[in-house]
Amino acid sequence: MSLKFPISLVAKSGGGVPAPLHWWDLDSLSTGIEDQGTSPWNILQVIGSPTIISVGPNGQDVVNFTSNGQYLHYNRQGNQNIAWDGVSDTEMSQSFWFRATVLPTHSARMLVWRSSGGQPLITQSFIMNANPDYAISSYFDESLQNTTAYDTTDTTQLATWYHLASTLKDGVCKLYLNNQLIAIDTTSGFTTLSRTAVPFSLATASWHKGATHFQHKGQMGMVGIWDTALSEDSISHLYNNGLGRQFNDL
């Protein structure tokens, strides 16, 4: 994304982050897809033939999705649904690094935890292929009401690393891109996150896995989910002056 501010001016010194509920470094297709969070799931399942390449924001190994039908998802012995397992029903955060090489016809779905429309939904973050292209992050309550933050003035550039972080607290969604708060959305009457088990995926739409118009082609790394709203200092720590942090750096 082509940002309207110099990265060096928005970086802040960080002071660490709370322990993530779920975390995947994505620096290998074996250990890197193990959940290192405080409430770990089983290892994510690899679909298709993505690879690992050393092109992260600081040269880290990251997963590389090059073709349609390549993605990671939750799958435990054939059960592909997993419920929100945080302590809080009203707070949540997510963070990940991404670099797109090709945009699909609709949107590149990065982190998605939801069923189809009209079914239980939890959260989703993606890059919309529009004019201009822009980042979106949404959270949903039990009645499918959503709080969605986006800023259409931030256009997408291919082959460029970005750090996306978003937070939910009491119906307020905040979206950060490269350590800059770019959008806020407040939804009055937002209740609680659903605890119904739904599909979870990275690099594709969890309710329509492998659909070419939702496929993320490019790289992802350092993915985290929290059951609290991260502070700006925590987001700055994750951003790390544009270098990113793996689990052992948190």
Side-chain angles (χ1 to χ4, degrees):
M1 291 188 172
S2 178
L3 306 178
K4 303 186 296 298
F5 42 81
I7 297 300
S8 60
L9 295 182
V10 300
K12 304 175 184 177
S13 60
V17 297
L21 185 70
H22 304 291
W23 182 279
W24 304 273
D25 277 332
L26 303 187
D27 58 350
S28 80
L29 295 177
S30 54
T31 58
I33 52 178
E34 291 179 351
D35 187 348
Q36 300 183 80
T38 59
S39 181
W41 300 340
N42 62 299
I43 192 168
L44 294 178
Q45 183 179 16
V46 180
I47 302 297
S49 301
T51 59
I52 298 296
I53 55 177
S54 303
V55 297
N58 193 30
Q60 299 98 332
D61 289 345
V62 291
V63 65
N64 185 32
F65 304 99
T66 59
S67 301
N68 293 327
Q70 295 181 352
Y71 58 88
L72 307 175
H73 74 149
Y74 176 86
N75 186 357
R76 183 175 179 82
Q77 298 177 338
N79 179 10
Q80 298 179 9
N81 295 332
I82 184 73
W84 169 241
D85 50 351
V87 172
S88 175
D89 284 326
T90 59
E91 294 188 31
M92 186 179 182
S93 299
Q94 56 184 275
S95 165
F96 58 87
W97 286 84
F98 70 92
R99 185 172 75 165
T101 55
V102 178
L103 280 175
T105 57
H106 188 277
S107 55
R109 302 285 165 152
M110 304 294 182
L111 186 155
V112 186
W113 196 354
R114 54 164 287 188
S115 295
S116 59
Q119 299 297 320
L121 314 173
I122 299 175
T123 187
Q124 61 182 5
S125 292
F126 57 95
I127 305 303
M128 187 72 191
N129 188 356
N131 186 19
D133 304 326
Y134 53 93
I136 299 174
S137 192
S138 299
Y139 298 89
F140 302 85
D141 68 10
E142 289 185 310
S143 65
L144 305 185
Q145 185 171 219
N146 72 86
T147 178
T148 298
Y150 62 93
D151 182 349
T152 60
T153 64
D154 292 298
T155 57
T156 298
Q157 289 186 347
L158 300 178
T160 303
W161 276 106
Y162 298 100
H163 176 237
L164 185 150
S166 69
T167 65
L168 167 72
K169 185 173 183 179
D170 299 328
V172 178
C173 177
K174 296 181 179 181
L175 177 62
Y176 298 82
L177 197 64
N178 283 358
N179 202 33
Q180 177 73 21
L181 176 63
I182 64 170
I184 302 176
D185 184 46
T186 300
T187 300
S188 61
F190 191 96
T191 57
T192 58
L193 294 161
S194 171
R195 290 191 180 269
T196 300
V198 293
F200 175 88
S201 64
L202 300 177
T204 192
S206 60
W207 76 96
H208 198 0
K209 296 172 184 174
T212 59
H213 55 293
F214 293 140
Q215 177 77 53
H216 168 54
K217 291 182 180 177
Q219 297 81 42
M220 286 189 72
M222 297 164 279
V223 178
I225 297 173
W226 289 260
D227 56 354
T228 187
L230 293 176
S231 68
E232 290 192 351
D233 282 346
S234 291
I235 291 170
S236 177
H237 188 76
L238 291 165
Y239 180 63
N240 191 26
N241 294 305
L243 301 179
R245 295 184 190 274
Q246 295 180 310
F247 183 75
N248 289 333
D249 303 321
L250 298 182

